[in-house]
């Protein structure tokens, strides 16, 4: 940088004495010798190449004889350093960076304020009379009926959601049919089991034994599992029972129950400065190569964000106050709004064949997860690149990498 700065100053000063210009040239030549003799340097290092350009520019300035190729390169360097093209390009980059970064130190998340009138009535539906006649206020009956319908719709949606998460542990042909529903409550995994007797006999001493693999710990048999870190765990076990006609116990092995990492990864927001600091500090890195059937960069990025709950660095999300929305879960609308607000990233997706995006998420245990996704669109329309994941612990880096490997193949495995 010293040699380049001195050369630019000499090129811009038209009335510079020849003696002073020769002294500057002598300084640059000595710096070049020092770089070539240094252990980390050499004739092909970046500093040596840059200093050679400076010496050629001085040669053109002094009207020295150079080969045609070197003369053309020196003239190109001289015109580049003396012109205003570099400043114009720098202004464009700074303008794009200002559009792409809306965070500031001390910025807080936008929270929607709620206000309730002091004279608003409070209706306790459970305390009202259950008679067929009309109540004292018909308006309250209509409100209660509307609340009942809304509550029934919410219960139906909750039942459908729980039903989609039910996993079959044994087969329908087994004597004992077992299915499980796994739900996360803070640091605990609540496991609900449905056990059905498929035989015509009365079964005795039915016992479900569970065991875990990974950083999981059973604290209350048979339905509570405690999480210790963000790591994909496996729950397996068997069910034993006795029949009146049999002297020995019978046993059925249960299918493995995989704990999804998405259940304890929540969306979060971070600024770019903190992201760079943590990226340099975190030691665990997992690199996943992109291998997908998706052909659009924006669609692939949206697909990865929805299936990992990771948000764009520097982009805060708004709390809408929707009670039906899961806590910490990214919806398709949230991801599309982030991409619309990220003007620089949106412009790169539309105009460039290479896009690099930084993503961030946080687990319920306070573990930070960083990701850098580099996507390149090939001439044949396919997407290639890599996704680098960094974290302070090994578990979350490996689990997020496995998650991205599974979901990147196509949109058919996306999860709402």
């Amino acid at each position: 940088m010293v040699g380049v700065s001195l050369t630019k100053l000499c090129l811009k000063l038209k009335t510079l004495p020849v003696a002073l210009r020769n002294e500057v040239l002598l300084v640059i030549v000595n710096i070049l010798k020092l770089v070539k003799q240094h252990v980390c340097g050499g004739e092909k290092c970046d500093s040596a190449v840059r200093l050679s350009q400076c010496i050629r520019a001085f040669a053109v300035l002094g009207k020295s004889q150079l080969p045609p190729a070197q003369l053309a390169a020196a003239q190109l360097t001289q015109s580049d350093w003396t012109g205003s093209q570099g400043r114009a390009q720098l202004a464009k980059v700074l303008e794009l960076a200002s559009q792409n970064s809306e965070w500031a130190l001390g910025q807080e998340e936008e929270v929607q304020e709620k206000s309730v009138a002091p004279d608003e009535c409070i209706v306790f539906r459970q305390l009202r009379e259950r008679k067929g006649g009309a109540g004292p206020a018909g308006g309250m009956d209509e409100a209660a009926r509307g609340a009942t319908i809304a509550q029934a719709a919410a219960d139906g949606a909750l039942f459908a959601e729980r039903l989609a998460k039910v996993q079959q542990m044994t087969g329908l042909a087994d004597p004992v049919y077992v299915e499980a529903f796994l739900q996360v409550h803070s640091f605990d995994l609540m496991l609900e089991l449905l056990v059905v007797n498929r035989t015509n006999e009365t079964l005795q001493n039915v016992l479900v034994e569970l065991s875990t693999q990974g950083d999981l710990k059973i604290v209350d048999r048979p339905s509570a599992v405690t999480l210790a870190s963000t790591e994909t765990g496996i729950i397996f076990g068997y069910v034993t029972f006795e029949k009146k006609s049999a002297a020995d116990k019978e046993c059925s092995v249960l299918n493995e129950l995989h704990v999804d990492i998405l259940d304890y990864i929540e969306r979060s927001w971070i600024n770019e400065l903190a992201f760079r600091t943590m990226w340099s500090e975190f030691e665990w890195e997992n690199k996943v190569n992109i291998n997908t059937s998706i052909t659009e960069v924006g669609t692939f990025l949206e697909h990865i964000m929805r299936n990992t709950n990771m948000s764009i660095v520097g982009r805060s999300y708004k709390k809408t106050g929707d009670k039906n929305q899961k806590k910490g879960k990214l919806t398709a609308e949230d991801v599309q709004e982030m991409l619309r607000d990220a003007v620089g990233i949106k412009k790169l997706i539309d105009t460039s064949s290479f896009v690099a995006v930084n993503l961030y998420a946080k687990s319920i245990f306070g573990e930070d997860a960083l990701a850098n996704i580099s996507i390149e669109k090939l001439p044949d329309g396919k997407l290639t690149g890599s996704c680098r994941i960094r974290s302070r612990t090994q578990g979350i880096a490996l689990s997020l990498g496995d998650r991205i490997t599974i979901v990147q193949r196509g949109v058919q495995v996306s999860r709402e």
Side-chain angles (χ1 to χ4, degrees), residues 15 27 37 71 81 87 90 102 150 162-163 197 257 259 271 279 282 342 354 371:
T15 61
V27 172
Q37 294 174 0
L71 180 61
W81 287 355
R87 292 181 178 272
L90 179 60
E102 298 176 351
R162 290 169 61 96
L163 189 62
N197 181 11
L257 186 64
V259 181
N271 58 48
W279 185 269
F282 289 175
F354 179 80

Side-chain angles (χ1 to χ4, degrees), residues 74-366:
Q75 291 176 350
L76 180 61
T77 303
Q78 185 178 5
S79 62
D80 187 19
W81 287 355
T82 56
S84 59
Q85 184 179 3
R87 292 181 178 272
Q89 295 296 332
L90 179 60
K92 291 182 180 179
V93 172
L94 294 178
E95 181 182 1
L96 186 62
S98 63
Q99 294 177 354
N100 192 30
S101 180
E102 298 176 351
W103 62 272
L105 295 177
Q107 180 180 357
E108 297 181 355
E109 300 172 353
E110 299 181 10
V111 181
Q112 183 179 3
E113 296 183 358
K114 294 183 179 180
S115 59
V116 180
D119 56 346
E120 185 174 348
C121 296
I122 301 176
V123 180
F124 297 95
R125 182 168 54 88
Q126 291 81 359
L127 302 180
R128 299 189 62 201
E129 295 182 356
R130 298 178 179 270
K131 295 181 179 180
M140 295 181 65
D141 292 338
E142 295 293 334
R145 189 178 298 108
T148 303
I149 296 174
Q151 183 65 31
D155 292 343
L158 180 61
F159 175 76
E161 179 185 352
R162 290 169 61 96
L163 189 62
K165 289 185 176 181
V166 170
Q167 301 189 37
Q168 186 174 331
M169 305 290 286
T170 60
L172 296 175
D174 293 330
V176 177
Y177 173 77
V178 181
E179 64 181 21
F181 170 72
L182 194 62
Q183 189 174 11
V184 177
H185 291 284
S186 296
F187 299 104
D188 294 332
L189 286 173
M190 303 304 297
L191 182 63
E192 299 181 8
L193 297 175
L194 172 65
V195 183
V196 180
N197 181 11
R198 300 284 297 176
T199 66
N200 296 325
E201 304 179 19
T202 302
L203 302 182
Q204 300 177 348
N205 298 328
V206 179
L207 179 62
V208 178
E209 289 286 344
L210 298 178
S211 184
T212 59
Q213 177 181 348
D215 208 350
L216 305 175
K217 180 181 178 182
I218 298 179
V219 295
D220 184 17
R221 296 188 180 185
S223 61
V225 180
T226 296
L227 292 167
S229 66
T230 311
E231 182 177 350
T232 302
I234 300 175
I235 301 175
F236 54 92
Y238 54 91
V239 54
T240 60
F241 53 91
E242 295 180 358
K243 294 181 180 179
K244 290 184 178 180
S245 58
D248 299 332
K249 290 184 178 181
E250 296 187 18
C251 175
S252 296
V253 180
L254 302 179
N255 295 331
E256 294 180 351
L257 186 64
H258 293 264
V259 181
D260 192 358
I261 186 178
L262 207 61
D263 290 331
Y264 39 81
I265 289 290
E266 297 182 350
R267 63 179 178 182
S268 185
W269 174 83
I270 194 175
N271 58 48
E272 296 176 357
L273 180 60
F275 179 88
R276 295 191 187 99
T277 304
M278 287 192 293
W279 185 269
S280 60
E281 291 178 354
F282 289 175
E283 57 183 4
W284 289 103
E285 178 175 324
N286 186 13
K287 184 177 180 181
V288 178
N289 294 325
I290 294 177
N291 181 17
T292 179
S293 59
I294 304 175
T295 57
E296 295 297 329
V297 177
T299 305
F300 177 76
L301 184 59
E302 177 183 346
H303 179 63
I304 292 297
M305 292 173 61
R306 288 176 55 197
N307 286 275
T308 57
N309 281 336
M310 304 192 79
S311 56
I312 299 177
V313 173
R315 299 284 151 188
S316 59
Y317 63 90
K318 298 179 181 179
K319 294 183 178 180
T320 59
D322 188 2
K323 294 182 179 179
N324 296 327
Q325 182 180 355
K326 298 180 186 177
K327 178 182 177 182
K329 303 299 181 183
L330 274 178
T331 61
E333 292 76 12
D334 295 333
V335 175
Q336 293 174 0
E337 183 179 359
M338 285 185 186
L339 293 177
R340 284 195 303 267
D341 293 342
V343 181
I345 297 176
K346 185 67 175 176
K347 187 175 181 180
L348 284 176
I349 292 175
D350 296 336
T351 60
S352 177
S353 61
F354 179 80
V355 180
V357 184
N358 294 329
L359 304 179
Y360 173 78
K362 197 171 186 178
S363 70
I364 61 177
F365 310 100

Side-chain angles (χ1 to χ4, degrees), residues 358-401:
N358 294 329
L359 304 179
Y360 173 78
K362 197 171 186 178
S363 70
I364 61 177
F365 310 100
E367 299 170 322
D368 300 301
L370 313 178
N372 172 263
I373 300 181
S374 301
I375 311 171
E376 181 182 2
K377 189 169 184 178
L378 300 177
D380 58 357
K382 294 183 179 180
L383 299 183
T384 184
S386 63
C387 177
R388 299 168 60 193
I389 306 165
R390 286 194 181 185
S391 63
R392 198 178 299 275
T393 58
Q394 182 184 14
I396 187 172
L398 296 178
S399 300
L400 267 178

